[in-house]
Amino acid sequence: MTLRVRRHLVSSLLALTVTTACVRVPPPPINVTTAVENPATTIHPEIWPRADWPYPVDAAVEARIDAIIARMTLEEKIGQVIQADIASVTPEDAKRYHLGSILNGGNSAPDNDEFAPPEKWLALADAFYDASVDTSGGRTAVPIIWGTDAVHGHSNIVGATIFPHNVGLGAMHDSDLVQRIAEATALELRSTGMEWTFAPTITVPQDGRWGRAYEGYSQDPVLVASYVEKFIEGLQGKPGDEPILSGPHVLASTKHFLADGGTDQGRDQGDAKISETELRDIHGTPYVSAINAGVQTIMASFSSWNGAKITGHKGLLTDVLKERMRFGGFIVSDWNAHGQVLGCTNASCPQAINAGLDMYMAPDTWKPLYDSLLAQAKNGTVPMDRLEDAVANILRVKIRAGLFEAGRPSSRPYSGRFQLLGSADHRALAREAVRKSLVLMKNNNRVLPLNPKSHILVAGDGADDIGRASGGWTLTWQGTGIGNDKFPGATSILKGIEEAVTGANGTVHHAPDGSFVQQPDAAIVIFGETPYAEFQGDLKTLQLKSELKGPLATMRKLQAQGIPVVAVFLTGRPLWTNEELNASDAFVAAWLPGSEGGGVADVLFRDKDGKIAREFEGKLSFTWPMTANAKGPRLFELGYGLTSDSASNMGMLPEDSGVVSQESSAGTFFDKGLPTASWSLLVSDGQSDRTRITTTPVEAIGGRVQVKAVDHLTQEGARQFTSSGSGPTLIELVTHAPIDISRETNGDVLLLVTMRYEQLSSAPIKLSMRCGEGCGGQIAPAALSRLEVGKWQTVGVPIKCFANAGADVSKLDAPFQISTAGSIDFSLSRVALGTVADTILGCE
C-alpha cells in the first residue's frame, strides 16, 4: 500500500503501514494564479469548533480504497472527480471518461422532457450505472452516483409529494416532523433509482432580498442547527456499519459551505463581507451538527468571503472543514462554481482541487475540464497525492453507501415502487407540515377560524395555482409556468377550501378579482410572490413586485363593503406588507406550502360542530420588516405568531415603504416599447449612420427604415421596424455602463425577445451581443427566420450561445442586436433576461 496523506484523517489515530521505501514529494504548482495574501480572508482554524465525525477509520475499507486506486489509470482518477449534467452527457460518455457522478440540473431530464414519467428516470439511472461498471478493455468498475436537487420533496418528478420550502418548515419549530419529511423524500427518491440529494440546505439567510432565502429554515443559526441532524438522519439513517443504501435511505449533501446567506445586500453568488467570528458563529454553526450526523457530502458555495471565492479557499475547505472539523465525506462544488475562482475558467481550475475540492460539478463543461485536469495532473500542477486523496474521499462515500454491492438502480430495494411518489401517507405528512408552518400575524375581532357553513368568496390570483404555491425548484429550475395538470393527486388551496366548506354544507365562490353577485360572509384573498430560483429572485427592496400588487385593491374594495377579509400570503421570505395588513382583518403567512394546499384550509375553518379544528402553531423564524428597507426597523420579531384565541387587535400601520424606488429593472432592457433606464434604442447601418429612437414615428438610415408605435398589451406598447432592404439594418439596445451577466450565463438564462413578424425577412436574420469595440458574439438561428407571421411570441436564446460565439458577457454594452441585409418588417415589445419562452432557439 502506498502512503497517501488524507487530510481528513490527519487527526485520527490510524497507524499507516508504509511499504514503500520513499515518499513522493509533489512538485510545486505550475502556472496557477493565486490570490495575494489578504488578512480579511485569512482563516484561523484554531478558533473554529471541533465536530465529532461518527465514522471511525476502518482499516479494511482503507485497504479496499487503496487497492481500487492502485488499479486505476490516471484517466480513471480524473473521471472520478468530475460530475456532468444529464443534458450534456450520455452513458457512453460516462463510460469513456470514467465519470464519477452525474446530476440533473433544474431543467434537465431524460430525453429533455422535464415532465418525463418516473419509468424514464429509472431507465436512465440503469443506463448510466451499466456504463460505469463496464469492465471491458480492462476498465476499473466504479459505480456512478446520481445527484439531484430534491430540496422540498422529490420535486423534479411529476406526481411526487411537494413539501413546503424550508422557510415554512422553519416556522414549524418541529425537528421531528422535519425528520419524517426527509424519510419520505428519501423513499420517493429511491423509487426512481437515485441515491444522492443536494439537501438539506442549511444556509442561515441574513437578508430577505436574497433570491434563495426560502431555502433557509431561519436567520437564527441555533434553530437551523436544531434541524440539521434530524434531517440528515431522515435521509441517511443513523451512522453505523450497515451500508446506507441497504435501508430506505439516500446520501445527503448540506449546502452551501459557507455564508451563502450572508452576502452583501443579499446578492446571490455575492460576497459575505463579514468577520471570521461572524462567519463561524452564524454560518458555520449548522455544519457542526451536519458533521456530527455523518453527512456524506458538502457542497461548496458559489459565493465569496471578503472577496475570496469559497470554492478555491483552502483555509475553509481543507484547514477548517476537513482538518479542524474532521469532515470525512467529500466536497462537491456548485454548478460551474470553480469557474469563478481567481485565475480559473469553467474549463480549467486546478486551484479548486488543490484547495480541497473533491468533485467538480461541471455540468456542461465536464469534457474540457477533464482534458485540462488530465494535463495538470501529468505536469504536476495538480499533485498526485491531492488527486488520489480526492478520489479516495469519493470512493469512501461510495463504499459507505454500499454502492459497489447495490447492483443496478432498478434492482435495489424500493426501486420501481412508483406508488411511493405522492403516496397518501406522504401527502398527509406534507399537509401536516403546511398547517404547522402557517403563521397567524393578524386576527382582529377573532375573525379566524371561519364558519365553514358560510358563503365564502375566494379571491386573489394565487388560489388555484399549485405551481405558484410550490415555488422554485419544482419540476423546473424556476418553477414557472406549470399548470395544475402537472401535479396529479395534489390539492390547490382553492380545492382545500372548497372541500372544507362544501363538506359542512357551506358554499364557495371563486373570483380572482373579488367580484360577486351574492354577498359573501367572508372573503379569503390569496396573493403573493410568483416562483423564482437563485439570482432570478434577488430583490432590491423588501416588497412585492408592482405587477403582483393587484389583490391589494381587491382587499380594500371588499373591506369597504364590510366584508371580513382574510389575507393568505404566499411568499419565500418576509416582505413589507403593511398595506395588505391594513386592508385585511386577518393575515396569514403561508410561505410556499407546496402540493398539499388543504393544509391551509385546515386552520382557516372551524369544524362542522363549530369548534376549532386545528390551531395555528407557526411562529416566525425570520423577523418581519416594518418597511421595505432591508436595514430598516422590524414589525415582528423572531417567534411571533398568534393563535385563534389571541386577544390583541392590530391598529393601522404606516404605509410609507421607506424606500425611494420599488424595484429594479435590471435584466430588462426594453419594455412596453421603450428602453428602460440607462438604455438607448438605436437603428443604424452598422457603420456611421446611427439614429437614436426617442419619439415615433421616425425614419432612420436616410429613410430606409421606418419606426412607429404599435399596440401590444398596452396602447403603443411596442415599436414596429420596417426596412426596405436596400442595405444592412442593425437595431440594438446600448448603454454607456456595460453590464456583467456571467452569472446569468452560467445559470442557462435566456435572452428573451417578445416580437411579432409583420413580414418575413428576405435575408437571414442575425442576433448578436457586443462587448465593446471589436468584441462580440453573433449567431444566426435558422428558426428565427421561420417564425409565424402575425403572431406575438417570446423567443428565447441561451446567453451562452453568444458567449460561445465570442462575446465577453462580463462587459456587455449591447446585449441585444438584431440585423439583416434584407428587407424586414417586425414589431418589438420587450427584451429581457429570463427563463420562460414560447420558442427556444439553438446556437447555430
Side-chain angles (χ1 to χ4, degrees), residues 224-438:
V224 176
S226 73
Y227 275 22
V228 173
E229 289 193 51
K230 292 284 193 176
F231 200 99
I232 292 172
E233 183 178 327
L235 289 175
Q236 295 188 167
K238 285 185 177 294
D241 296 331
E242 290 297 313
I244 291 170
L245 296 181
S246 66
H249 302 124
V250 295
L251 299 171
S253 182
T254 48
K255 62 183 184 182
H256 303 86
F257 186 86
L258 190 64
D260 55 338
T263 61
D264 183 45
Q265 300 181 57
R267 178 176 169 81
D268 190 43
Q269 303 181 26
D271 190 12
K273 301 176 181 179
I274 57 179
S275 68
E276 184 179 1
T277 54
E278 190 175 349
L279 183 72
R280 176 197 66 192
D281 295 342
I282 294 178
H283 305 283
T285 292
Y287 281 89
V288 177
S289 298
I291 295 169
N292 289 347
V295 67
Q296 292 298 299
T297 70
I298 290 176
M299 186 181 291
S301 181
F302 267 121
S303 59
S304 306
W305 175 53
N306 291 327
K309 286 290 179 180
I310 303 296
T311 303
H313 200 299
K314 180 177 179 293
L316 285 169
L317 299 186
T318 297
D319 300 342
V320 167
L321 188 55
K322 291 184 175 181
E323 294 186 354
R324 178 67 179 178
M325 300 179 78
R326 296 183 270 201
F327 169 57
F330 72 78
I331 302 174
V332 62
S333 67
D334 208 335
W335 185 281
N336 279 332
H338 60 275
Q340 298 185 15
V341 174
L342 180 66
C344 290
T345 66
N346 288 353
S348 176
C349 189
Q351 292 92 322
I353 192 169
N354 288 344
L357 185 73
D358 298 307
M359 181 180 285
Y360 291 83
M361 186 187 291
D364 52 357
T365 58
W366 60 269
K367 190 173 181 180
L369 181 68
Y370 173 95
D371 292 337
S372 65
L373 278 174
L374 183 60
Q376 290 151 3
K378 287 179 178 179
N379 69 24
T381 301
V382 174
M384 188 59 62
D385 281 358
R386 173 74 272 266
L387 174 61
E388 290 187 351
D389 179 47
V391 174
N393 293 338
I394 294 166
L395 292 177
R396 196 172 291 109
V397 169
K398 291 182 176 183
I399 290 170
R400 285 197 200 107
L403 203 61
F404 285 84
E405 296 74 36
R408 300 182 88 210
S410 61
S411 72
R412 300 172 191 167
Y414 313 102
S415 286
R417 291 176 54 183
F418 302 132
Q419 66 271 24
L420 291 170
L421 294 166
S423 70
D425 287 346
H426 294 174
R427 291 193 184 280
L429 184 64
R431 184 165 181 158
E432 178 184 354
V434 172
R435 63 174 174 261
K436 287 185 174 179
S437 69
L438 303 178

Side-chain angles (χ1 to χ4, degrees), residues 12 28 68 84 144 165 172 227 352-353 361 379 469 519 578 596 606 689 722 768 806:
S12 76
I68 295 172
I144 204 165
H165 267 297
M172 299 187 314
Y227 275 22
I353 192 169
M361 186 187 291
N379 69 24
Q519 178 150 326
N578 287 17
E596 306 313 305
R606 297 180 180 274
D689 192 342
T722 305
S768 52

Side-chain angles (χ1 to χ4, degrees), residues 10 379 465 610 705 720 798 807:
V10 167
N379 69 24
D465 191 336
V705 176
Q720 182 177 346

Side-chain angles (χ1 to χ4, degrees), residues 647-668:
S648 61
N649 278 349
M650 182 183 296
M652 295 294 288
L653 298 171
E655 296 192 355
D656 180 0
S657 69
V659 295
V660 176
S661 60
Q662 180 172 342
E663 57 197 77
S664 169
S665 61
T668 301

